[in-house]
């Protein structure tokens, strides 16, 4: 382990590929905002030259973004060497890898660099929707290597832990904590946000916050909404996020002539405000770990209807329903119609399990073990 510098800070390298507004990235940012930055120095190892959504805030808070080429660009050996150099150059004490199967590369580099605390953190239950045979072999080998090189195993939920580490292996569950007060329901904001988004005040608003990629299942969501608007004409679908499939989904919406009642906001930095404008959160993902957005939605006391492929531990509030994505879209539409559209009571379980202050204490305790 590298010795502490004169500032006595523990230097932690978060290997996370990019710092845009994804689930794992948002979790790490929530931790970074809440942790004692006089004791912990965060570095973010990313594999892109693009400007990230969280980049400016990271720098303002005293963090550092370090960029190296992706493994696909330079190959495994050069990629591992580059990570090892980053660790050595910055005298890293702890490597905390969030890149699922690809975490194996940073863990090997950390081992070679003499880092004694090497954390593998699972944020998901799968990597791809339909992996090839070659990918399946790679995933299996990576899992074996991760179990060997990681000195600590963390998962956002049980199923995410089982997926990466196996059922017979120990891991710690660290919940995806958030700043609960930021996401509490604020009725006064509801009206103004709807005006800003050009949504009628009396409309029933369905909300989805997700990156536009296959796993998030936006195509199916549009089919669900097409059926829902038949039985509830005064409704609106609000889609927050960006991604490679956004143009495809926008084209589908235009072809179905639903553009007047579906809004695409792009990436928003104020999602805590957006939740207030909605009536129901809908998430038909093909797979997930334990999505931060579902914790945020429940902190806002929004009713939720989500895919039953999502870890059931995510359910905190009573007004939360799981549905199978293989059902006809009309069945989801009926379930949404029957859903109680009023916000329930605040759950004390939420405070206990997902308050970022408690999560930071857990992580800080793990980090301090290196001392």
């Amino acid at each position: 382990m590298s010795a502490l510098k004169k500032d006595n800070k523990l230097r932690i390298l978060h290997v996370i590929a990019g710092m845009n507004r994804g689930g794992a990235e948002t979790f790490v940012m929530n931790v970074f905002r809440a942790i004692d930055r006089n004791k912990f120095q965060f570095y973010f190892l990313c594999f892109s030259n693009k400007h990230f959504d969280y980049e400016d805030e990271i720098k303002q808070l005293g963090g550092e973004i370090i960029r190296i080429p992706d493994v696909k660009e330079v190959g495994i050996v050069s990629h591992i060497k580059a990570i090892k150099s980053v660790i050595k150059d910055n005298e890293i004490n702890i490597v905390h890898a969030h890149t699922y199967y690809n975490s194996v590369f940073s863990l090997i580099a950390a081992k070679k660099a003499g880092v004694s605390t090497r954390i593998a953190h699972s944020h998901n239950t799968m990597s791809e929707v339909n992996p090839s045979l070659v990918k399946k072999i790679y995933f299996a080998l990576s899992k074996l290597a991760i179990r060997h090189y990681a000195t600590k195993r963390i998962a956002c939920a049980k199923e995410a832990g089982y997926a990466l580490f196996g059922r017979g292996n120990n891991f710690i569950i660290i919940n995806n904590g958030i700043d609960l007060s930021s996401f509490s329901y604020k009725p006064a904001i509801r009206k103004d946000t709807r005006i800003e988004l050009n949504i009628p005040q009396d409309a029933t608003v369905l909300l989805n916050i997700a990156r536009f990629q296959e796993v998030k299942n936006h195509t199916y969501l549009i089919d669900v909404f097409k059926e829902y608007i038949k039985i509830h004409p005064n409704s609106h679908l609000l889609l927050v996020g960006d991604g490679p499939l956004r143009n495809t989904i926008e084209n589908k919406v235009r072809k179905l002539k639903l553009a007047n009642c579906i809004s695409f906001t792009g990436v928003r930095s104020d999602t805590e405000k957006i939740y207030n404008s909605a009536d129901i959160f809908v998430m038909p993902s093909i797979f997930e770990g334990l999505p931060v957005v579902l914790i945020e939605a429940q902190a806002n006391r929004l009713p939720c209807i989500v895919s039953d492929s999502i870890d059931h531990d995510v359910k905190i509030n009573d007004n939360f329903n799981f549905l199978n994505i293989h059902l006809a879209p009309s069945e989801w539409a009926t379930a949404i119609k029957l859903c109680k559209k009023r916000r329930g009571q605040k759950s004390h379980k939420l405070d206990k399990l997902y308050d970022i202050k408690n999560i930071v204490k857990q992580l800080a305790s793990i980090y301090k073990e290196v001392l």
Side-chain angles (χ1 to χ4, degrees):
M1 183 198 82
S2 299
L4 296 184
K5 288 184 178 180
K6 290 181 181 179
D7 59 13
N8 278 331
K9 291 184 181 181
L10 274 173
R11 295 181 300 287
I12 301 151
L13 182 68
H14 287 277
V15 184
I16 198 155
M19 281 305 293
N20 288 317
R21 294 182 186 277
E25 297 87 344
T26 297
F27 166 74
V28 176
M29 277 307 299
N30 287 339
V31 170
F32 188 36
R33 294 180 187 119
I35 204 164
D36 186 345
R37 293 187 295 279
N38 292 315
K39 296 179 179 178
F40 301 94
Q41 176 67 46
F42 275 22
Y43 300 81
F44 300 83
L45 185 60
C46 302
F47 310 140
S48 170
N49 288 320
K50 295 179 180 178
H51 186 276
F52 301 118
D53 296 333
Y54 287 125
E55 185 163 342
D56 293 339
E57 186 182 0
I58 286 170
K59 293 176 180 177
Q60 288 168 6
L61 294 176
E64 293 186 32
I65 291 179
I66 301 171
R67 291 176 165 88
I68 64 170
D70 191 279
V71 65
K72 295 176 183 176
E73 299 173 35
V74 296
I76 293 173
V77 174
S78 295
H79 187 65
I80 291 174
K81 284 182 178 178
I83 298 172
K84 182 182 175 183
S85 294
V86 168
I87 294 169
K88 289 285 191 181
D89 292 346
N90 294 279
E91 300 179 61
I92 297 298
N93 302 113
I94 297 167
V95 170
H96 191 155
H98 304 268
T99 49
Y100 209 47
Y101 293 122
N102 286 353
S103 294
V104 64
F105 306 130
S106 50
L107 296 173
I108 290 172
K111 172 76 171 177
K112 288 178 175 292
V115 175
S116 60
T117 301
R118 304 181 297 273
I119 302 171
H121 197 143
S122 179
H123 295 272
N124 223 322
T125 55
M126 293 176 65
S127 181
E128 296 181 17
V129 177
N130 293 303
S132 65
L133 177 60
V134 172
K135 283 284 185 70
K136 288 179 181 178
I137 294 171
Y138 163 66
F139 295 157
L141 293 174
S142 293
K143 285 166 71 171
L144 289 172
I146 287 168
R147 292 172 199 165
H148 176 72
Y149 285 101
T151 61
K152 292 284 182 184
R153 305 182 185 104
I154 297 176
C156 65
K158 289 199 304 286
E159 295 301 325
Y162 295 153
L164 190 59
F165 309 124
R167 291 182 179 269
N169 291 279
N170 293 327
F171 56 87
I172 303 164
I173 292 178
I174 301 285
N175 292 323
N176 287 337
I178 64 171
D179 179 358
L180 293 171
S181 61
S182 296
F183 292 92
S184 62
Y185 179 50
K186 301 174 181 67
I189 295 176
R190 182 181 176 87
K191 180 179 178 180
D192 291 341
T193 305
R194 286 196 173 202
I195 291 171
E196 176 197 336
L197 297 171
N198 198 29
I199 297 173
Q201 296 293 333
D202 60 346
T204 296
V205 176
L206 312 186
L207 173 64
N208 177 270
I209 301 177
R211 180 170 168 76
F212 283 83
Q213 56 190 45
E214 185 180 5
V215 63
K216 302 300 182 180
N217 213 8
H218 285 91
T219 296
Y220 182 76
L221 178 57
I222 299 304
D223 290 337
V224 168
F225 184 71
K226 181 183 72 172
E227 297 300 321
Y228 180 70
I229 204 167
K230 291 177 184 177
I231 55 178
H232 197 299
N234 188 23
S235 56
H236 199 95
L237 176 60
L238 187 56
L239 300 176
V240 179
D242 209 339
L245 294 182
R246 178 172 170 175
N247 288 339
T248 302
I249 301 303
E250 287 180 331
N251 288 336
K252 177 169 182 169
V253 166
R254 284 191 287 269
K255 287 179 182 178
L256 293 174
K257 298 181 179 179
L258 294 172
N260 290 335
C261 51
I262 298 180
S263 298
F264 294 80
T265 73
V267 174
R268 299 279 300 218
S269 61
D270 58 350
T271 52
E272 69 279 0
K273 184 172 74 173
I274 301 297
Y275 288 107
N276 292 288
S277 69
D279 296 295
I280 304 172
F281 194 90
V282 185
M283 191 177 205
S285 300
I286 297 172
F287 63 83
E288 293 277 356
L290 201 148
V292 175
V293 291
L294 287 180
I295 306 305
E296 295 172 349
Q298 290 180 92
N300 194 260
R301 294 185 281 124
L302 264 178
C304 297
I305 294 184
V306 307
S307 164
D308 65 1
S309 66
I310 297 172
D311 194 305
H312 283 39
D313 286 345
V314 75
K315 179 177 178 177
I316 304 161
N317 297 344
D318 291 334
N319 203 356
F320 193 105
N321 300 284
F322 293 98
L323 288 179
N324 193 295
I325 55 172
H326 298 296
L327 295 173
S330 59
E331 295 187 63
W332 272 67
T334 300
I336 295 169
K337 171 70 174 174
L338 296 174
C339 179
K340 296 177 182 177
K341 298 176 183 63
R342 63 178 183 271
R343 284 170 166 82
Q345 297 298 313
K346 180 182 177 183
S347 170
H348 294 297
K349 186 178 178 183
L350 195 68
D351 291 326
K352 181 180 177 182
L353 296 178
Y354 292 98
D355 188 327
I356 191 61
K357 300 185 194 73
N358 296 331
I359 302 307
V360 163
K361 287 179 183 177
Q362 286 180 270
L363 265 181
S365 178
I366 291 170
Y367 292 157
K368 287 178 181 178
E369 288 180 15
V370 74
L371 300 175

